[in-house]
Tab-separated table of all heavy atoms in Angstrom:
chain	number	residue	atom	x	y	z
Z	214	MET	N	3.219	-25.886	5.941
Z	214	MET	CA	1.979	-25.491	5.321
Z	214	MET	C	2.244	-24.519	4.146
Z	214	MET	O	1.665	-24.698	3.083
Z	214	MET	CB	1.087	-24.812	6.373
Z	214	MET	CG	-0.231	-24.355	5.836
Z	214	MET	SD	-1.225	-25.752	5.372
Z	214	MET	CE	-2.721	-24.967	4.936
Z	215	VAL	N	3.124	-23.552	4.367
Z	215	VAL	CA	3.429	-22.618	3.293
Z	215	VAL	C	4.153	-23.326	2.156
Z	215	VAL	O	3.922	-23.036	0.982
Z	215	VAL	CB	4.317	-21.428	3.826
Z	215	VAL	CG1	4.748	-20.491	2.704
Z	215	VAL	CG2	3.574	-20.672	4.891
Z	216	THR	N	4.968	-24.317	2.501
Z	216	THR	CA	5.661	-25.110	1.469
Z	216	THR	C	4.662	-25.870	0.582
Z	216	THR	O	4.871	-25.923	-0.645
Z	216	THR	CB	6.654	-26.084	2.122
Z	216	THR	OG1	7.503	-25.362	3.022
Z	216	THR	CG2	7.490	-26.785	1.107
Z	217	VAL	N	3.675	-26.413	1.175
Z	217	VAL	CA	2.659	-27.136	0.430
Z	217	VAL	C	1.888	-26.202	-0.486
Z	217	VAL	O	1.654	-26.488	-1.678
Z	217	VAL	CB	1.693	-27.925	1.372
Z	217	VAL	CG1	0.535	-28.488	0.596
Z	217	VAL	CG2	2.411	-28.956	2.178
Z	218	LEU	N	1.546	-25.044	0.023
Z	218	LEU	CA	0.828	-24.034	-0.779
Z	218	LEU	C	1.719	-23.551	-1.948
Z	218	LEU	O	1.222	-23.371	-3.068
Z	218	LEU	CB	0.410	-22.860	0.064
Z	218	LEU	CG	-0.716	-23.134	1.068
Z	218	LEU	CD1	-0.949	-21.899	1.954
Z	218	LEU	CD2	-1.994	-23.558	0.369
Z	219	LEU	N	3.011	-23.399	-1.668
Z	219	LEU	CA	3.936	-22.977	-2.718
Z	219	LEU	C	4.002	-24.027	-3.817
Z	219	LEU	O	3.977	-23.726	-5.017
Z	219	LEU	CB	5.336	-22.707	-2.133
Z	219	LEU	CG	6.460	-22.395	-3.114
Z	219	LEU	CD1	6.113	-21.124	-3.881
Z	219	LEU	CD2	7.750	-22.240	-2.354
Z	220	ALA	N	4.109	-25.312	-3.408
Z	220	ALA	CA	4.196	-26.402	-4.387
Z	220	ALA	C	2.898	-26.431	-5.197
Z	220	ALA	O	2.960	-26.626	-6.449
Z	220	ALA	CB	4.410	-27.716	-3.676
Z	221	LEU	N	1.747	-26.250	-4.607
Z	221	LEU	CA	0.492	-26.251	-5.339
Z	221	LEU	C	0.411	-25.078	-6.321
Z	221	LEU	O	-0.048	-25.260	-7.428
Z	221	LEU	CB	-0.692	-26.210	-4.386
Z	221	LEU	CG	-0.950	-27.469	-3.567
Z	221	LEU	CD1	-2.055	-27.233	-2.541
Z	221	LEU	CD2	-1.317	-28.632	-4.486
Z	222	ALA	N	0.880	-23.928	-5.885
Z	222	ALA	CA	0.885	-22.763	-6.789
Z	222	ALA	C	1.811	-22.990	-7.978
Z	222	ALA	O	1.476	-22.635	-9.133
Z	222	ALA	CB	1.254	-21.496	-6.030
Z	223	MET	N	2.946	-23.600	-7.704
Z	223	MET	CA	3.889	-23.869	-8.796
Z	223	MET	C	3.345	-24.914	-9.777
Z	223	MET	O	3.442	-24.745	-10.995
Z	223	MET	CB	5.218	-24.316	-8.210
Z	223	MET	CG	5.945	-23.210	-7.497
Z	223	MET	SD	7.363	-23.777	-6.554
Z	223	MET	CE	8.433	-24.377	-7.807
Z	224	LEU	N	2.724	-25.958	-9.224
Z	224	LEU	CA	2.130	-26.993	-10.102
Z	224	LEU	C	0.951	-26.411	-10.890
Z	224	LEU	O	0.752	-26.733	-12.077
Z	224	LEU	CB	1.696	-28.173	-9.280
Z	224	LEU	CG	2.786	-29.067	-8.761
Z	224	LEU	CD1	2.212	-30.124	-7.799
Z	224	LEU	CD2	3.511	-29.746	-9.900
Z	225	GLY	N	0.187	-25.532	-10.261
Z	225	GLY	CA	-0.924	-24.888	-10.945
Z	225	GLY	C	-0.430	-24.020	-12.100
Z	225	GLY	O	-0.979	-24.012	-13.192
Z	226	THR	N	0.672	-23.288	-11.841
Z	226	THR	CA	1.255	-22.445	-12.887
Z	226	THR	C	1.721	-23.315	-14.040
Z	226	THR	O	1.487	-22.997	-15.210
Z	226	THR	CB	2.450	-21.660	-12.329
Z	226	THR	OG1	1.996	-20.858	-11.255
Z	226	THR	CG2	3.074	-20.803	-13.382
Z	227	LEU	N	2.363	-24.403	-13.730
Z	227	LEU	CA	2.855	-25.308	-14.788
Z	227	LEU	C	1.698	-25.901	-15.568
Z	227	LEU	O	1.742	-26.001	-16.795
Z	227	LEU	CB	3.695	-26.432	-14.137
Z	227	LEU	CG	4.434	-27.349	-15.083
Z	227	LEU	CD1	5.483	-26.565	-15.877
Z	227	LEU	CD2	5.137	-28.435	-14.269
Z	228	GLY	N	0.636	-26.286	-14.883
Z	228	GLY	CA	-0.522	-26.888	-15.557
Z	228	GLY	C	-1.174	-25.869	-16.531
Z	228	GLY	O	-1.529	-26.184	-17.647
Z	229	VAL	N	-1.355	-24.639	-16.035
Z	229	VAL	CA	-1.955	-23.609	-16.870
Z	229	VAL	C	-1.047	-23.260	-18.052
Z	229	VAL	O	-1.530	-23.066	-19.183
Z	229	VAL	CB	-2.283	-22.360	-16.033
Z	229	VAL	CG1	-2.670	-21.173	-16.920
Z	229	VAL	CG2	-3.377	-22.652	-15.013
Z	230	LEU	N	0.231	-23.266	-17.837
Z	230	LEU	CA	1.178	-23.009	-18.926
Z	230	LEU	C	1.069	-24.065	-20.001
Z	230	LEU	O	0.978	-23.743	-21.192
Z	230	LEU	CB	2.611	-22.949	-18.368
Z	230	LEU	CG	3.727	-22.699	-19.374
Z	230	LEU	CD1	3.555	-21.320	-19.980
Z	230	LEU	CD2	5.066	-22.826	-18.674
Z	231	PHE	N	1.056	-25.306	-19.596
Z	231	PHE	CA	0.922	-26.399	-20.595
Z	231	PHE	C	-0.428	-26.371	-21.272
Z	231	PHE	O	-0.494	-26.658	-22.486
Z	231	PHE	CB	1.184	-27.773	-19.945
Z	231	PHE	CG	2.631	-28.090	-19.819
Z	231	PHE	CD1	3.181	-28.360	-18.578
Z	231	PHE	CD2	3.472	-28.077	-20.915
Z	231	PHE	CE1	4.541	-28.680	-18.438
Z	231	PHE	CE2	4.829	-28.370	-20.789
Z	231	PHE	CZ	5.357	-28.654	-19.565
Z	232	ALA	N	-1.468	-26.045	-20.557
Z	232	ALA	CA	-2.829	-25.959	-21.180
Z	232	ALA	C	-2.837	-24.858	-22.244
Z	232	ALA	O	-3.372	-25.036	-23.316
Z	232	ALA	CB	-3.862	-25.703	-20.123
Z	233	GLY	N	-2.181	-23.755	-21.941
Z	233	GLY	CA	-2.101	-22.660	-22.913
Z	233	GLY	C	-1.258	-23.053	-24.141
Z	233	GLY	O	-1.625	-22.721	-25.286
Z	234	MET	N	-0.179	-23.754	-23.894
Z	234	MET	CA	0.675	-24.165	-25.001
Z	234	MET	C	-0.068	-25.176	-25.923
Z	234	MET	O	0.023	-25.090	-27.146
Z	234	MET	CB	1.997	-24.767	-24.502
Z	234	MET	CG	2.925	-23.730	-23.924
Z	234	MET	SD	4.383	-24.390	-23.106
Z	234	MET	CE	4.967	-25.691	-24.157
Z	235	LEU	N	-0.791	-26.122	-25.314
Z	235	LEU	CA	-1.549	-27.060	-26.093
Z	235	LEU	C	-2.667	-26.375	-26.888
Z	235	LEU	O	-2.905	-26.747	-28.023
Z	235	LEU	CB	-2.123	-28.167	-25.164
Z	235	LEU	CG	-1.146	-29.173	-24.629
Z	235	LEU	CD1	-1.840	-30.093	-23.622
Z	235	LEU	CD2	-0.535	-29.977	-25.740
Z	236	GLY	N	-3.262	-25.399	-26.257
Z	236	GLY	CA	-4.347	-24.686	-26.939
Z	236	GLY	C	-3.834	-23.919	-28.159
Z	236	GLY	O	-4.421	-23.901	-29.203
Z	237	LEU	N	-2.655	-23.311	-27.971
Z	237	LEU	CA	-2.065	-22.589	-29.114
Z	237	LEU	C	-1.613	-23.544	-30.216
Z	237	LEU	O	-1.755	-23.267	-31.404
Z	237	LEU	CB	-0.847	-21.763	-28.665
Z	237	LEU	CG	-1.185	-20.479	-27.887
Z	237	LEU	CD1	0.088	-19.824	-27.381
Z	237	LEU	CD2	-1.975	-19.532	-28.760
Z	238	ALA	N	-1.083	-24.699	-29.820
Z	238	ALA	CA	-0.639	-25.668	-30.824
Z	238	ALA	C	-1.842	-26.241	-31.626
Z	238	ALA	O	-1.682	-26.546	-32.808
Z	238	ALA	CB	0.090	-26.824	-30.136
Z	239	ARG	N	-2.961	-26.366	-30.980
Z	239	ARG	CA	-4.182	-26.840	-31.660
Z	239	ARG	C	-4.931	-25.775	-32.406
Z	239	ARG	O	-5.878	-26.094	-33.134
Z	239	ARG	CB	-5.090	-27.530	-30.641
Z	239	ARG	CG	-4.503	-28.801	-30.067
Z	239	ARG	CD	-5.468	-29.418	-29.119
Z	239	ARG	NE	-4.896	-30.651	-28.568
Z	239	ARG	CZ	-5.447	-31.327	-27.591
Z	239	ARG	NH1	-6.572	-30.955	-27.070
Z	239	ARG	NH2	-4.864	-32.432	-27.146
Z	240	GLY	N	-4.532	-24.522	-32.197
Z	240	GLY	CA	-5.143	-23.425	-32.934
Z	240	GLY	C	-6.496	-22.953	-32.344
Z	240	GLY	O	-7.352	-22.480	-33.058
Z	241	HIS	N	-6.648	-23.090	-31.013
Z	241	HIS	CA	-7.861	-22.603	-30.356
Z	241	HIS	C	-7.908	-21.073	-30.374
Z	241	HIS	O	-6.902	-20.412	-30.648
Z	241	HIS	CB	-7.979	-23.127	-28.926
Z	241	HIS	CG	-8.273	-24.573	-28.876
Z	241	HIS	ND1	-9.543	-25.064	-29.021
Z	241	HIS	CD2	-7.484	-25.640	-28.629
Z	241	HIS	CE1	-9.509	-26.404	-28.908
Z	241	HIS	NE2	-8.275	-26.766	-28.676
Z	242	ASP	N	-9.051	-20.538	-30.053
Z	242	ASP	CA	-9.258	-19.121	-30.102
Z	242	ASP	C	-8.384	-18.335	-29.126
Z	242	ASP	O	-7.905	-18.893	-28.109
Z	242	ASP	CB	-10.703	-18.757	-29.928
Z	242	ASP	CG	-11.242	-19.181	-28.538
Z	242	ASP	OD1	-10.515	-19.860	-27.816
Z	242	ASP	OD2	-12.378	-18.764	-28.189
Z	243	GLY	N	-8.211	-17.052	-29.367
Z	243	GLY	CA	-7.369	-16.229	-28.528
Z	243	GLY	C	-7.964	-15.884	-27.190
Z	243	GLY	O	-7.248	-15.584	-26.259
Z	244	ALA	N	-9.307	-15.902	-27.100
Z	244	ALA	CA	-9.950	-15.546	-25.797
Z	244	ALA	C	-9.560	-16.537	-24.699
Z	244	ALA	O	-9.268	-16.122	-23.572
Z	244	ALA	CB	-11.451	-15.490	-25.967
Z	245	ARG	N	-9.528	-17.806	-25.046
Z	245	ARG	CA	-9.142	-18.805	-24.053
Z	245	ARG	C	-7.673	-18.657	-23.689
Z	245	ARG	O	-7.283	-18.780	-22.528
Z	245	ARG	CB	-9.402	-20.212	-24.577
Z	245	ARG	CG	-9.121	-21.299	-23.559
Z	245	ARG	CD	-9.600	-22.680	-24.102
Z	245	ARG	NE	-9.464	-23.674	-23.115
Z	245	ARG	CZ	-8.423	-24.487	-22.975
Z	245	ARG	NH1	-7.374	-24.341	-23.755
Z	245	ARG	NH2	-8.392	-25.404	-22.023
Z	246	SER	N	-6.846	-18.365	-24.645
Z	246	SER	CA	-5.406	-18.143	-24.389
Z	246	SER	C	-5.196	-16.966	-23.475
Z	246	SER	O	-4.335	-17.017	-22.576
Z	246	SER	CB	-4.646	-17.935	-25.698
Z	246	SER	OG	-4.643	-19.126	-26.467
Z	247	ASN	N	-5.954	-15.888	-23.703
Z	247	ASN	CA	-5.796	-14.698	-22.843
Z	247	ASN	C	-6.226	-15.012	-21.423
Z	247	ASN	O	-5.601	-14.557	-20.453
Z	247	ASN	CB	-6.637	-13.533	-23.415
Z	247	ASN	CG	-5.984	-12.950	-24.637
Z	247	ASN	OD1	-4.814	-13.080	-24.846
Z	247	ASN	ND2	-6.809	-12.262	-25.429
Z	248	LYS	N	-7.287	-15.794	-21.274
Z	248	LYS	CA	-7.775	-16.158	-19.931
Z	248	LYS	C	-6.704	-16.989	-19.203
Z	248	LYS	O	-6.436	-16.799	-18.051
Z	248	LYS	CB	-9.074	-16.884	-20.020
Z	248	LYS	CG	-9.710	-17.219	-18.717
Z	248	LYS	CD	-10.998	-17.983	-18.887
Z	248	LYS	CE	-12.116	-17.099	-18.541
Z	248	LYS	NZ	-13.423	-17.765	-18.495
Z	249	LEU	N	-6.139	-17.965	-19.936
Z	249	LEU	CA	-5.101	-18.804	-19.357
Z	249	LEU	C	-3.879	-18.005	-18.992
Z	249	LEU	O	-3.221	-18.244	-17.977
Z	249	LEU	CB	-4.745	-19.960	-20.293
Z	249	LEU	CG	-5.791	-21.069	-20.429
Z	249	LEU	CD1	-5.395	-22.005	-21.569
Z	249	LEU	CD2	-5.942	-21.789	-19.128
Z	250	MET	N	-3.537	-16.995	-19.820
Z	250	MET	CA	-2.376	-16.148	-19.542
Z	250	MET	C	-2.607	-15.375	-18.240
Z	250	MET	O	-1.713	-15.261	-17.416
Z	250	MET	CB	-2.160	-15.170	-20.701
Z	250	MET	CG	-0.972	-14.246	-20.501
Z	250	MET	SD	0.588	-15.056	-20.717
Z	250	MET	CE	0.627	-15.222	-22.467
Z	251	ARG	N	-3.814	-14.852	-18.034
Z	251	ARG	CA	-4.106	-14.147	-16.788
Z	251	ARG	C	-3.989	-15.063	-15.603
Z	251	ARG	O	-3.467	-14.696	-14.573
Z	251	ARG	CB	-5.512	-13.511	-16.877
Z	251	ARG	CG	-5.513	-12.216	-17.636
Z	251	ARG	CD	-6.854	-11.509	-17.548
Z	251	ARG	NE	-7.265	-11.206	-18.902
Z	251	ARG	CZ	-8.278	-11.778	-19.505
Z	251	ARG	NH1	-9.062	-12.635	-18.901
Z	251	ARG	NH2	-8.574	-11.441	-20.750
Z	252	TRP	N	-4.536	-16.294	-15.740
Z	252	TRP	CA	-4.425	-17.265	-14.630
Z	252	TRP	C	-2.962	-17.557	-14.307
Z	252	TRP	O	-2.564	-17.679	-13.149
Z	252	TRP	CB	-5.155	-18.570	-14.978
Z	252	TRP	CG	-6.593	-18.544	-14.590
Z	252	TRP	CD1	-7.676	-18.316	-15.407
Z	252	TRP	CD2	-7.116	-18.763	-13.276
Z	252	TRP	NE1	-8.810	-18.347	-14.671
Z	252	TRP	CE2	-8.512	-18.659	-13.372
Z	252	TRP	CE3	-6.540	-19.048	-12.051
Z	252	TRP	CZ2	-9.328	-18.799	-12.244
Z	252	TRP	CZ3	-7.355	-19.176	-10.944
Z	252	TRP	CH2	-8.726	-19.064	-11.060
Z	253	ARG	N	-2.154	-17.697	-15.365
Z	253	ARG	CA	-0.746	-18.021	-15.176
Z	253	ARG	C	-0.043	-16.886	-14.420
Z	253	ARG	O	0.728	-17.126	-13.481
Z	253	ARG	CB	-0.048	-18.264	-16.500
Z	253	ARG	CG	1.416	-18.676	-16.327
Z	253	ARG	CD	2.119	-18.757	-17.689
Z	253	ARG	NE	2.083	-17.517	-18.431
Z	253	ARG	CZ	2.931	-16.471	-18.210
Z	253	ARG	NH1	3.830	-16.533	-17.281
Z	253	ARG	NH2	2.834	-15.393	-18.941
Z	254	VAL	N	-0.332	-15.664	-14.784
Z	254	VAL	CA	0.296	-14.523	-14.133
Z	254	VAL	C	-0.141	-14.442	-12.687
Z	254	VAL	O	0.710	-14.225	-11.783
Z	254	VAL	CB	-0.084	-13.201	-14.865
Z	254	VAL	CG1	0.341	-11.996	-14.084
Z	254	VAL	CG2	0.601	-13.194	-16.253
Z	255	TRP	N	-1.411	-14.677	-12.395
Z	255	TRP	CA	-1.887	-14.688	-11.004
Z	255	TRP	C	-1.210	-15.792	-10.193
Z	255	TRP	O	-0.779	-15.543	-9.065
Z	255	TRP	CB	-3.403	-14.865	-10.946
Z	255	TRP	CG	-4.139	-13.554	-11.044
Z	255	TRP	CD1	-4.800	-13.069	-12.135
Z	255	TRP	CD2	-4.243	-12.563	-10.031
Z	255	TRP	NE1	-5.349	-11.868	-11.851
Z	255	TRP	CE2	-5.027	-11.512	-10.566
Z	255	TRP	CE3	-3.817	-12.467	-8.723
Z	255	TRP	CZ2	-5.353	-10.357	-9.815
Z	255	TRP	CZ3	-4.117	-11.335	-7.978
Z	255	TRP	CH2	-4.894	-10.274	-8.529
Z	256	LEU	N	-1.146	-16.990	-10.747
Z	256	LEU	CA	-0.529	-18.115	-10.025
Z	256	LEU	C	0.948	-17.871	-9.800
Z	256	LEU	O	1.495	-18.213	-8.757
Z	256	LEU	CB	-0.750	-19.398	-10.769
Z	256	LEU	CG	-2.207	-19.929	-10.696
Z	256	LEU	CD1	-2.406	-21.086	-11.644
Z	256	LEU	CD2	-2.551	-20.375	-9.281
Z	257	GLN	N	1.611	-17.257	-10.776
Z	257	GLN	CA	3.040	-16.971	-10.579
Z	257	GLN	C	3.234	-15.948	-9.483
Z	257	GLN	O	4.155	-16.046	-8.671
Z	257	GLN	CB	3.653	-16.420	-11.885
Z	257	GLN	CG	4.030	-17.513	-12.851
Z	257	GLN	CD	4.672	-16.907	-14.113
Z	257	GLN	OE1	4.161	-15.974	-14.656
Z	257	GLN	NE2	5.762	-17.489	-14.529
Z	258	GLY	N	2.356	-14.947	-9.448
Z	258	GLY	CA	2.437	-13.941	-8.397
Z	258	GLY	C	2.216	-14.554	-7.010
Z	258	GLY	O	2.928	-14.209	-6.041
Z	259	ILE	N	1.227	-15.436	-6.912
Z	259	ILE	CA	0.945	-16.116	-5.637
Z	259	ILE	C	2.176	-16.975	-5.229
Z	259	ILE	O	2.586	-16.966	-4.059
Z	259	ILE	CB	-0.329	-16.965	-5.751
Z	259	ILE	CG1	-1.531	-16.035	-5.866
Z	259	ILE	CG2	-0.466	-17.895	-4.548
Z	259	ILE	CD1	-2.829	-16.756	-6.258
Z	260	ALA	N	2.743	-17.709	-6.181
Z	260	ALA	CA	3.883	-18.534	-5.896
Z	260	ALA	C	5.058	-17.676	-5.427
Z	260	ALA	O	5.763	-18.051	-4.455
Z	260	ALA	CB	4.276	-19.365	-7.114
Z	261	LEU	N	5.284	-16.542	-6.067
Z	261	LEU	CA	6.365	-15.694	-5.679
Z	261	LEU	C	6.165	-15.105	-4.287
Z	261	LEU	O	7.095	-15.064	-3.460
Z	261	LEU	CB	6.528	-14.531	-6.690
Z	261	LEU	CG	7.693	-13.601	-6.529
Z	261	LEU	CD1	9.004	-14.406	-6.573
Z	261	LEU	CD2	7.670	-12.537	-7.560
Z	262	ALA	N	4.924	-14.674	-3.977
Z	262	ALA	CA	4.627	-14.166	-2.654
Z	262	ALA	C	4.835	-15.237	-1.576
Z	262	ALA	O	5.395	-14.963	-0.494
Z	262	ALA	CB	3.192	-13.659	-2.604
Z	263	LEU	N	4.396	-16.469	-1.878
Z	263	LEU	CA	4.588	-17.545	-0.908
Z	263	LEU	C	6.071	-17.885	-0.711
Z	263	LEU	O	6.503	-18.179	0.395
Z	263	LEU	CB	3.821	-18.807	-1.358
Z	263	LEU	CG	2.294	-18.723	-1.250
Z	263	LEU	CD1	1.680	-19.909	-1.962
Z	263	LEU	CD2	1.881	-18.666	0.204
Z	264	PHE	N	6.835	-17.776	-1.781
Z	264	PHE	CA	8.284	-18.011	-1.682
Z	264	PHE	C	8.926	-16.989	-0.798
Z	264	PHE	O	9.778	-17.301	0.038
Z	264	PHE	CB	8.904	-17.989	-3.082
Z	264	PHE	CG	10.379	-18.298	-3.114
Z	264	PHE	CD1	10.792	-19.567	-2.893
Z	264	PHE	CD2	11.278	-17.315	-3.369
Z	264	PHE	CE1	12.172	-19.855	-2.870
Z	264	PHE	CE2	12.625	-17.570	-3.401
Z	264	PHE	CZ	13.050	-18.854	-3.148
Z	265	VAL	N	8.540	-15.712	-0.943
Z	265	VAL	CA	9.088	-14.653	-0.103
Z	265	VAL	C	8.701	-14.902	1.370
Z	265	VAL	O	9.537	-14.764	2.259
Z	265	VAL	CB	8.622	-13.277	-0.583
Z	265	VAL	CG1	8.951	-12.184	0.417
Z	265	VAL	CG2	9.246	-12.957	-1.934
Z	266	ILE	N	7.450	-15.275	1.601
Z	266	ILE	CA	6.997	-15.554	2.951
Z	266	ILE	C	7.821	-16.726	3.542
Z	266	ILE	O	8.258	-16.669	4.711
Z	266	ILE	CB	5.514	-15.896	2.975
Z	266	ILE	CG1	4.697	-14.656	2.685
Z	266	ILE	CG2	5.054	-16.528	4.282
Z	266	ILE	CD1	3.235	-14.876	2.442
Z	267	LEU	N	8.056	-17.756	2.749
Z	267	LEU	CA	8.853	-18.902	3.219
Z	267	LEU	C	10.283	-18.478	3.557
Z	267	LEU	O	10.836	-18.907	4.558
Z	267	LEU	CB	8.824	-19.997	2.150
Z	267	LEU	CG	9.426	-21.331	2.532
Z	267	LEU	CD1	8.565	-21.972	3.619
Z	267	LEU	CD2	9.444	-22.248	1.309
Z	268	LEU	N	10.855	-17.614	2.725
Z	268	LEU	CA	12.197	-17.142	3.017
Z	268	LEU	C	12.270	-16.335	4.297
Z	268	LEU	O	13.159	-16.477	5.108
Z	268	LEU	CB	12.715	-16.271	1.839
Z	268	LEU	CG	13.207	-16.991	0.601
Z	268	LEU	CD1	13.566	-15.953	-0.468
Z	268	LEU	CD2	14.365	-17.868	0.907
Z	269	LEU	N	11.251	-15.464	4.474
Z	269	LEU	CA	11.209	-14.654	5.705
Z	269	LEU	C	10.982	-15.511	6.962
Z	269	LEU	O	11.521	-15.196	8.010
Z	269	LEU	CB	10.135	-13.578	5.576
Z	269	LEU	CG	10.377	-12.472	4.548
Z	269	LEU	CD1	9.175	-11.565	4.431
Z	269	LEU	CD2	11.646	-11.685	4.937
Z	270	MET	N	10.212	-16.570	6.834
Z	270	MET	CA	9.972	-17.463	7.971
Z	270	MET	C	11.221	-18.197	8.354
Z	270	MET	O	11.497	-18.485	9.533
Z	270	MET	CB	8.841	-18.462	7.664
Z	270	MET	CG	7.474	-17.840	7.625
Z	270	MET	SD	6.199	-18.974	7.047
Z	270	MET	CE	6.414	-20.393	8.050
Z	271	ASN	N	12.029	-18.594	7.384
Z	271	ASN	CA	13.253	-19.377	7.668
Z	271	ASN	C	14.488	-18.512	7.914
Z	271	ASN	O	15.552	-19.031	8.135
Z	271	ASN	CB	13.540	-20.318	6.511
Z	271	ASN	CG	12.503	-21.425	6.416
Z	271	ASN	OD1	11.947	-21.848	7.432
Z	271	ASN	ND2	12.196	-21.868	5.220
Z	272	ARG	N	14.320	-17.229	7.910
Z	272	ARG	CA	15.415	-16.288	8.025
Z	272	ARG	C	15.950	-16.252	9.476
Z	272	ARG	O	17.139	-16.169	9.720
Z	272	ARG	CB	14.966	-14.893	7.625
Z	272	ARG	CG	16.014	-13.882	7.574
Z	272	ARG	CD	15.437	-12.629	6.983
Z	272	ARG	NE	16.231	-11.503	7.409
Z	272	ARG	CZ	15.960	-10.273	7.134
Z	272	ARG	NH1	14.906	-9.985	6.411
Z	272	ARG	NH2	16.713	-9.304	7.570
Z	273	GLY	N	15.031	-16.292	10.430
Z	273	GLY	CA	15.438	-16.120	11.817
Z	273	GLY	C	15.695	-17.337	12.510
Z	273	GLY	O	16.421	-18.091	12.870
């Protein structure tokens, strides 16, 4: 279950990253880029926390 959540968080991070890159390439406004950047940071944090949980679960 944690592995699936980790994969979803990683894919979400990748999707938001690409959306931000496409927005910047097309010259969209900075407000949308800032919002996407915040989402990316949150998703990366969630993915990192899930990764640590997965490591701790498989440790013993």
Side-chain angles (χ1 to χ4, degrees):
M214 180 66 176
V215 177
T216 307
V217 172
L218 291 174
L219 176 60
L221 289 173
M223 291 170 63
L224 286 173
T226 302
L227 189 63
V229 170
L230 179 64
F231 278 123
M234 288 173 43
L235 287 173
L237 285 175
R239 293 181 180 173
H241 288 282
D242 63 351
R245 185 173 187 266
S246 293
N247 286 338
K248 184 180 252 187
L249 288 171
M250 180 73 74
R251 279 188 232 111
W252 270 101
R253 183 186 58 82
V254 169
W255 273 104
L256 287 170
Q257 279 181 313
I259 291 168
L261 186 59
L263 289 170
F264 183 71
V265 169
I266 290 169
L267 190 64
L268 283 176
L269 292 174
M270 286 173 52
N271 290 328
R272 187 174 156 183

